[in-house]
Amino acid sequence: MSFLESRTRLAREGFGKPVLRKEDARLLVGGGLYSDDVYLPGQVYACFVRSPHAHARIGRIDTGAALATPGVVTVLTGADAGADGMKPLTHSPMPGNRYEDIVRTADVAFIAPHPPMPADRVRFMGEIVAMVIGETPAAARDGAERVVVAWTPLPAVTTSVDAAAADAPLLYDGTKANTCVSTEIGDAAAVDAAFARARHVVQLDTWVHRITGVPMEPRAAVGVFDPATGRYTVHAGAGGLGRTQTGVAGALGIPESQVRVTAGDVGGNFGTRNSCYPEFALVAWAARQVGRPVKWTAARHEAFLADYQGRDLTVHAELALDGAGHFLAFRGVNTSNVGAHAVSFHPLNKGMALTGTVYRVPTVKIGGRAVVSNTSPTTPYRSAGRPEIMFVMERLIDLTARRHGFDRLELRRKNLIPSSAMPYRNAVGTLYDSGDYRATMERALTLADWKGFEERRAEARRRGRYRGIGVANYIELNTGFPRERAHITVRPEGQVDLVLGTLSSGQGHATSFAQLLVEWLGVELSQVRLVTGDTDVTVVGGGAHSARALRLAAVVMAKASDQIVEKGKRIAAWTLEAADADIEYAARRFTVKGTDRSVDLFEVARAGGRSDAPEGCRGPLDGLSDETMAQPSFPYGCAVCEVEVDPETGVVEVVRYTTVDDCGRAVNPMILHGQTHGGIAQGVGQALWEACAYDPETGQLGSSTLMEYALPRADMLPSFTTEISEVPSTAHPLGLRGGGEGGTTPALGAAINAVCDALAELGVEHVEMPATAERVWRAIRDAESRRR
């Protein structure tokens, strides 16, 4: 390849280029390695006995028939686990970043523990009470069906409002209430004064309901115990291997160094895989009990029952405005349903930190509560806490416009934080670094042809359909585990190894990370090998959550790359017999300034391995950077949704969807567009169809298969119009913000605003999510009844 050809290729594959994902070629021909693909000699199989009750005492567990089942190796119970010293999983529910410390230790009444297999009491339908080990999956399942548990059902409570009531059944003995967190922030006196002088006050009481991730690959795990070393190995497709390592070690009561966690490919995450699960600790523990590797693969109905779920926020909110439509104050209470065990308070915390969203709200008073209930635990789900808050604000604005005669676009324009006000500290103290919110909204409106909408509405009306359009602005708060580590090694044979603690679940890390090294080191994309998915190798890393992976990895990769160039210059100076200061680096070559004498990067790596290399040049050509970066990121943007409603059936059809997202500088725009498309599907899916449906009386989950859980299909959504804005972040050395969650964050507000706009002439003011055909049909009929 000539120098010109090399430069052309680098220009096509480097920073900011829409490079095709290099990992797809392997995945499309079945070359992936997922958790269920792991097979170890001598392995046995686990099947878990799960509670059919949402809340019950566990009596005697009769395992005799199960043990007599052909192929069953053993049956383990919570009593066995307790006798062996197994402890609750180690989670980190409290925010650990100083930029998101709304919820503080002082606000926590208790942190509900999470035993992997409780011995005395179950607190949600699907909780594990026994573990059957068989020579085959079928034998384990047969044995599990023969385990008999003596249950004493207890009263169940599934909604946060009911669980927070004074007379609610308590989930935990020794507690006074089910509320485990209660906090309040803001200036109460200033807010009350603002509401007293307000010309308009608009109130919204809503429930941003519970959903779950439904990744394409169900969870699976293989546990191994090595009696010679006392070490455990868990092969598990998780979002962050460090959290799994911490959780398993805590449950087993051993140091983290005695637990190794590995993962190959991960078939979807969306946040639901990031925290440690009971099954991961149990397969490791069981491997020691039976002396053989133990494998478990979730059935889809198990995933619906026991995967961590997301959202579930009940909100009371009020917005005060003056006569001209300027926002004066906001007050409200957010009640988060964290489920049976405290896995995370982060969604509650992050939502409160963004109170006011992208608008100038001079003063706020916001209360926050986290409540346990007889449901599966909730965890940060894609854009945790932010879609809920954006939904509330955008609905309040539309309700204000509808009730008090304001134009909904002008109301937003009047109150958006101007770019000239950046950096901007909102009323709860969160500092937005940079952004032009007005520009993204105007661009989205133009792309969506907002001005031409009334013609489309009229045309739909002639067909007997009611057409509506909705807009929603948003801002993200991306933080996540603040530490990241990169170790880059240039191999003499022509390969660059990049060791990182992040783990891809479809985001295209192997491509976008490599693009940075193409840019900085001048190598080809195919020459970069991403090494991840093994805690013995990666050592440190927070995984992929809160849009942290590339944002944090880029910083440590840049510093490690600089180290390689500096060390390479010393080696090149030795090999070319020149002074260090006379060496420059570009396009993979170290050159003596002003000459045609140069040496290739990989030749320099080979020279460094020579025994006669001088001190300071000898050894691998590598760079290592380990940084803690607590600075948050604030992606933002705007979405416009158009729907048509059939008034006879209540069916809502999404006919157009447009979004503009600012991610700072875009490393790979094509991958970002793909992330946005997936995020839109998840956000609109929640707004219109998806729901984890628990019976409020019994706690039974009615949406435990894909027959009941209404996942959006391809024919239910239109082609999206997406555009990327690139206003560099002033808080990141490379100008990056984060781009994995923006598609989801405004979608709830945009979709429901569109539905309500379509139904406005029928007298419908608000529709709760999910806006299913039945719910919309009933809203239309109720409005007709009021008009009579």
Side-chain angles (χ1 to χ4, degrees), residues 466-488:
Y466 288 84
R467 193 166 180 129
I469 191 168
V471 62
N473 292 303
Y474 79 91
I475 187 169
E476 284 283 332
L477 171 55
N478 295 152
T479 50
F481 184 74
R483 185 180 174 191
E484 197 52 75
R485 180 181 185 271
H487 186 196
I488 304 173

Side-chain angles (χ1 to χ4, degrees), residues 242-597:
R243 292 189 190 186
T244 298
Q245 182 184 40
T246 298
V248 170
L252 297 176
I254 58 177
E256 289 186 21
S257 60
Q258 284 183 243
V259 177
R260 177 191 181 196
V261 183
T262 70
D265 297 296
V266 180
N269 180 0
F270 321 121
T272 58
R273 290 184 188 266
N274 283 334
S275 298
C276 186
Y277 278 90
E279 295 89 350
F280 298 164
L282 289 171
V283 294
W285 172 69
R288 180 166 62 84
Q289 300 300 308
V290 301
R292 295 166 66 179
V294 176
K295 181 176 183 176
W296 166 77
T297 301
R300 183 61 70 180
H301 76 276
E302 281 188 285
F304 278 112
L305 287 172
D307 277 8
Y308 299 144
Q309 298 167 352
R311 311 288 188 239
D312 206 339
L313 186 75
T314 302
V315 180
H316 168 80
E318 297 176 81
L319 181 65
L321 304 90
D322 66 17
H326 296 104
F327 299 165
L328 299 178
F330 177 96
R331 64 186 176 195
V333 177
N334 297 340
T335 303
S336 173
N337 187 345
V338 299
H341 308 291
V343 173
S344 179
F345 303 141
H346 293 258
L348 175 67
N349 189 77
K350 285 197 169 185
M352 294 176 69
L354 292 177
T355 300
T357 73
V358 294
Y359 303 100
R360 290 175 294 186
V361 182
T363 185
V364 306
K365 179 178 69 174
I366 183 77
R369 297 185 297 178
V371 180
V372 293
S373 71
N374 295 117
T375 59
S376 181
T378 54
T379 195
Y381 175 83
R382 198 168 191 170
S383 186
R386 286 88 86 189
E388 300 93 306
I389 300 308
M390 305 304 136
F391 170 75
V392 168
M393 180 58 76
E394 296 299 324
R395 285 300 297 133
L396 281 170
I397 294 173
D398 267 28
L399 288 169
T400 299
R402 188 76 61 186
R403 292 176 184 175
H404 301 294
F406 294 104
D407 178 273
R408 49 188 166 152
L409 296 185
E410 291 304 319
L411 195 56
R412 287 173 168 84
R413 290 178 178 123
K414 183 176 295 186
N415 290 284
L416 278 170
I417 301 164
S419 58
S420 60
M422 295 295 174
Y424 180 87
R425 191 175 298 278
N426 73 10
V428 300
T430 305
L431 184 66
Y432 304 165
D433 65 319
S434 58
D436 191 340
Y437 308 146
R438 174 73 178 266
T440 56
M441 187 180 83
E442 299 299 342
R443 181 57 181 159
L445 295 173
T446 299
L447 288 172
D449 187 23
W450 187 282
K451 291 182 179 179
F453 170 72
E454 289 304 330
E455 291 183 11
R456 298 192 294 277
R457 191 201 293 270
E459 187 276 331
R461 192 70 187 88
R462 290 191 291 271
R463 292 184 283 106
R465 299 291 188 267
Y466 288 84
R467 193 166 180 129
I469 191 168
V471 62
N473 292 303
Y474 79 91
I475 187 169
E476 284 283 332
L477 171 55
N478 295 152
T479 50
F481 184 74
R483 185 180 174 191
E484 197 52 75
R485 180 181 185 271
H487 186 196
I488 304 173
T489 304
V490 180
R491 305 291 183 189
E493 60 270 22
Q495 178 176 290
V496 178
D497 285 348
L498 168 61
V499 179
L500 273 171
T502 63
L503 186 64
S504 176
S505 53
Q507 300 95 329
H509 289 180
T511 302
S512 55
F513 290 0
Q515 285 182 257
L516 295 178
L517 297 188
V518 167
E519 188 78 20
W520 297 332
L521 297 181
V523 297
E524 295 178 24
L525 196 74
S526 60
Q527 293 175 308
V528 180
R529 183 174 75 105
L530 177 61
V531 180
T532 187
D534 186 339
T535 55
D536 275 4
V537 177
T538 56
V539 184
V540 171
H545 62 275
S546 197
R548 70 173 294 283
L550 183 59
R551 178 169 51 89
L552 270 59
V555 175
V556 290
M557 287 170 61
K559 293 184 177 182
S561 297
D562 287 345
Q563 294 172 20
I564 287 172
V565 171
E566 290 306 308
K567 185 175 182 179
K569 286 181 178 179
R570 295 195 300 271
I571 300 172
W574 166 60
T575 60
L576 296 171
E577 298 181 337
D580 291 5
D582 290 337
I583 302 296
E584 58 186 5
Y585 183 75
R588 219 181 79 183
R589 299 199 72 82
F590 294 91
T591 305
V592 180
K593 296 177 184 177
T595 75
D596 60 357
R597 296 169 58 217

Side-chain angles (χ1 to χ4, degrees), residues 534-774:
D534 186 339
T535 55
D536 275 4
V537 177
T538 56
V539 184
V540 171
H545 62 275
S546 197
R548 70 173 294 283
L550 183 59
R551 178 169 51 89
L552 270 59
V555 175
V556 290
M557 287 170 61
K559 293 184 177 182
S561 297
D562 287 345
Q563 294 172 20
I564 287 172
V565 171
E566 290 306 308
K567 185 175 182 179
K569 286 181 178 179
R570 295 195 300 271
I571 300 172
W574 166 60
T575 60
L576 296 171
E577 298 181 337
D580 291 5
D582 290 337
I583 302 296
E584 58 186 5
Y585 183 75
R588 219 181 79 183
R589 299 199 72 82
F590 294 91
T591 305
V592 180
K593 296 177 184 177
T595 75
D596 60 357
R597 296 169 58 217
S598 67
V599 63
D600 180 78
L601 173 69
F602 298 108
E603 293 174 330
V604 166
R606 190 175 302 111
R610 286 167 46 182
S611 60
D612 60 337
E615 193 68 28
C617 296
R618 193 179 309 125
L621 181 55
D622 64 351
L624 173 65
S625 178
D626 188 333
E627 300 283 332
T628 298
M629 299 158 278
Q631 187 71 26
S633 167
F634 297 95
Y636 62 91
C638 179
V640 179
C641 179
E642 267 187 61
V643 302
E644 285 189 3
V645 179
D646 181 346
E648 298 301 318
T649 63
V651 170
V652 176
E653 180 186 1
V654 181
V655 291
R656 294 173 67 139
Y657 198 97
T658 306
T659 184
V660 177
D661 302 284
D662 194 294
C663 58
R665 296 180 66 199
V667 174
N668 188 315
M670 185 196 70
I671 290 178
L672 279 170
H673 282 296
Q675 287 279 296
T676 300
H677 290 184
I680 293 169
Q682 288 185 277
V684 175
Q686 173 167 14
L688 301 182
W689 305 295
E690 296 181 50
C692 293
Y694 284 95
D695 185 285
E697 299 296 328
T698 65
Q700 294 292 303
L701 181 65
S703 54
S704 59
T705 76
L706 285 168
M707 293 294 289
E708 303 93 17
Y709 191 90
L711 203 66
R713 271 66 168 180
D715 62 352
M716 297 163 69
L717 293 166
S719 293
F720 306 132
T721 300
T722 61
E723 188 169 286
I724 297 171
S725 167
E726 294 187 72
V727 175
S729 168
T730 58
H732 190 278
L734 297 173
L736 307 183
R737 295 185 195 276
E741 301 178 323
T744 304
T745 311
L748 311 185
I752 298 301
N753 279 348
V755 171
C756 293
D757 181 58
L759 302 179
E761 63 180 286
L762 296 175
V764 176
E765 186 180 67
H766 179 67
V767 179
E768 282 287 275
M769 295 186 292
T772 60
E774 179 186 359

Side-chain angles (χ1 to χ4, degrees), residues 1-21:
M1 181 183 296
S2 69
F3 175 77
L4 180 59
E5 289 173 330
S6 174
R7 292 302 298 156
T8 300
R9 181 160 188 172
L10 296 183
R12 197 169 65 242
E13 294 185 338
F15 200 122
K17 304 304 184 296
V19 179
L20 293 174
R21 299 190 346 158

Side-chain angles (χ1 to χ4, degrees), residues 181-224:
V181 167
S182 183
T183 189
E184 185 174 288
I185 56 173
D187 189 333
V191 168
D192 291 345
F195 271 84
R197 69 175 186 273
R199 177 71 176 274
H200 307 294
V201 173
V202 180
Q203 178 178 312
L204 176 66
D205 289 283
T206 189
W207 176 41
V208 182
H209 62 288
R210 178 180 289 234
I211 55 175
T212 190
V214 200
M216 186 176 293
E217 176 207 13
R219 287 185 294 119
V222 181
V224 182

